[in-house]
Amino acid sequence: MFILLLFLMQLLMPGSSNIVGIDSEEKFRSSLRKVQDETLSAVFYFTAVWCGPCRLLSPVIGQLSEKYPNVTTYKIDIDQEGLGSTLSELNIHSVVMEMPVPLGKNSTGEVGVAVSLVAKLDRFPLCNLKLGGVPTLHFYKDGKKVSEVIGADLQRLKDTMEDLYK
């Protein structure tokens, strides 16, 4: 319920941000083509609803999109079914996410925890982008990919935006 509420809040957030949701292969392909053909500045933000670090990053992405109105941010949920073959082309097959999973107490009363969960995304094929996990951000300037941030490194995200788009 909480995740659904966060997702709905992100969709309905007011403000003058220029975040474009990508929900189909055609929309992704046409957005990437537009950025490349018109030599635009853009950020492609790969995320997932279940991703905790992505939820941490989302408000910051919104603030930065307002600070840099000349940069369009394209938000792509990697689990979106309409992106199937595009995700495959970008070579996304799995995402490793760390998540505590209680396993029960041992004889000394300690709780065992598993911390790695692999989400198989073979059914959601995007390939030459080589995403190692979410969140991943690809930064374009003058129509060319010039930088990338993997993970919820807020300072690196802010620094990259400042360096590229000031």
Side-chain angles (χ1 to χ4, degrees):
M1 180 82 166
F2 180 72
I3 291 174
L4 178 61
L5 181 60
L6 282 174
F7 178 71
L8 291 173
M9 285 174 49
Q10 289 175 2
L11 288 175
L12 301 174
M13 280 175 42
S16 61
S17 71
N18 52 348
I19 298 175
V20 177
I22 301 290
D23 58 5
S24 71
E25 290 180 43
E26 179 52 38
K27 196 167 183 181
F28 177 80
R29 290 179 194 280
S30 67
S31 298
L32 185 57
R33 225 178 0 258
K34 179 178 180 177
V35 168
Q36 293 171 333
D37 292 349
E38 298 177 20
T39 62
L40 301 174
S41 294
V43 177
F44 285 84
Y45 169 40
F46 297 89
T47 183
V49 174
W50 48 262
C51 170
C54 298
R55 290 192 302 270
L56 172 72
L57 207 59
S58 277
V60 176
I61 298 280
Q63 292 166 357
L64 290 170
S65 73
E66 291 176 10
K67 183 175 179 179
Y68 301 98
N70 59 321
V71 180
T72 301
T73 299
Y74 296 95
K75 185 175 180 179
I76 302 103
D77 182 338
I78 63 168
D79 292 328
Q80 183 72 32
E81 288 186 44
L83 293 171
S85 65
T86 305
L87 286 168
S88 287
E89 291 171 18
L90 297 174
N91 207 15
I92 300 173
H93 298 291
S94 66
V95 174
V96 177
M97 176 182 77
E98 290 187 3
M99 182 172 102
V101 180
L103 299 177
K105 293 185 179 181
N106 63 16
S107 60
T108 63
E110 297 172 3
V111 176
V113 176
V115 293
S116 248
L117 172 69
V118 177
K120 292 292 183 186
L121 300 176
D122 292 323
R123 62 192 171 120
F124 303 112
L126 279 191
C127 264
N128 301 322
L129 290 185
K130 309 244 191 257
L131 299 185
V134 288
T136 293
L137 297 105
H138 289 186
F139 299 88
Y140 284 75
K141 185 171 184 178
D142 300 323
K144 293 180 177 39
K145 182 180 167 192
V146 293
S147 190
E148 172 180 88
V149 171
I150 299 173
D153 187 337
L154 298 176
Q155 192 57 55
R156 186 163 171 228
L157 168 62
K158 290 175 183 179
D159 291 346
T160 301
M161 294 286 288
E162 178 70 22
D163 291 346
L164 292 174
Y165 308 125
K166 59 183 169 197

